[in-house]
Amino acid sequence: MISKLFVIEWVGPFSEIEGLKKWEKDNNIMRNYYFYIVSGKPHNMSNYRSYCGITQNKDGYVYKRYQCDPNHKIHTMRDKEIWIGRFSDNSVHSRSDIELCETMIVSYWQPELNNKKKSTYPSSNIVLINRWFKIDFTPRQNNIYIAQKMSDLIILDDSGIWGTEKVRKLVDF
């Protein structure tokens, strides 16, 4: 039996923190973007790597997570793709729900730069839907960015953890 269902709306990608900062000041009115994904090439590496995290600042801006931590992995990456995510229902969610979703993403997707939570699975049965949007909030129909390699639908149940490659648009309305 599924005990929780979450839908995360991802907006991006942003290529630099300054672009993210300007966008958040203009668009993150409710300050409810709790999640972020950073993909890029770490210094002295040629392949892309990814990192998924949650923001913990009280101001509700993701960009401050990077500015407050000069040792954050984002600062050593080039060719960055930065995505920020929020719950689709715009409700106030508990810290426990936010951490539960982060654990679900990291344990399923296994981003290379995450060291924690890769072998930790939530204790309850959960469904997580990832939706992808451009910075003008129009839906992305093609998965062309690194972060979009994460499944659009992730299910954790008593049988294991499952995912889909892509939720496809079948017809136009």
Side-chain angles (χ1 to χ4, degrees):
M1 177 192 300
I2 300 298
S3 60
K4 293 190 177 196
L5 168 74
F6 298 103
V7 179
I8 299 178
E9 296 177 344
W10 295 98
V11 176
F14 302 91
S15 58
E16 293 297 330
I17 297 170
E18 286 306 312
L20 171 60
K21 179 178 179 179
K22 180 182 180 333
W23 185 91
E24 280 198 280
K25 294 221 176 223
D26 293 343
N27 296 287
N28 191 2
I29 292 58
M30 294 177 68
R31 299 179 180 176
N32 60 349
Y33 285 84
Y34 304 112
F35 307 96
Y36 63 90
I37 295 173
V38 180
S39 297
K41 296 177 182 175
H43 191 67
N44 295 329
M45 296 186 86
S46 59
N47 293 331
Y48 279 89
R49 302 284 188 263
S50 297
Y51 180 84
C52 177
I54 53 179
T55 183
Q56 298 185 21
N57 70 64
K58 307 249 186 299
D59 292 336
Y61 289 118
V62 176
Y63 78 86
K64 288 190 175 185
R65 169 71 175 95
Y66 310 125
Q67 288 184 330
C68 294
D69 184 358
N71 298 318
H72 194 284
K73 296 176 185 190
I74 190 173
H75 299 298
T76 63
M77 292 183 173
R78 54 191 165 57
D79 301 330
K80 294 181 201 77
E81 296 175 5
I82 305 168
W83 293 82
I84 61 174
R86 68 177 178 192
F87 291 107
S88 67
D89 60 8
N90 287 325
S91 302
V92 175
H93 283 267
S94 69
R95 186 73 188 167
S96 140
D97 282 350
I98 296 166
E99 290 179 5
L100 187 67
C101 289
E102 178 197 27
T103 300
M104 182 87 164
I105 291 169
V106 171
S107 61
Y108 177 79
W109 189 37
Q110 301 281 309
E112 300 86 355
L113 298 176
N114 282 81
N115 298 325
K116 299 177 184 173
K117 297 189 177 186
K118 281 188 170 182
S119 60
T120 306
Y121 292 93
S123 58
S124 56
N125 294 338
I126 302 165
V127 172
L128 178 66
I129 300 170
N130 293 299
R131 298 196 61 215
W132 304 94
F133 293 87
K134 298 176 184 177
I135 60 174
D136 67 359
F137 298 108
T138 58
R140 287 196 172 275
Q141 293 188 21
N142 298 319
N143 290 355
I144 59 174
Y145 294 97
I146 306 296
Q148 292 178 297
K149 291 182 181 176
M150 175 178 30
S151 293
D152 290 346
L153 175 65
I154 304 170
I155 301 169
L156 175 70
D157 63 17
D158 295 331
S159 301
I161 192 160
W162 311 83
T164 65
E165 292 301 315
K166 180 178 163 82
V167 175
R168 299 190 187 278
K169 181 178 179 185
L170 298 176
V171 295
D172 289 321
F173 295 109

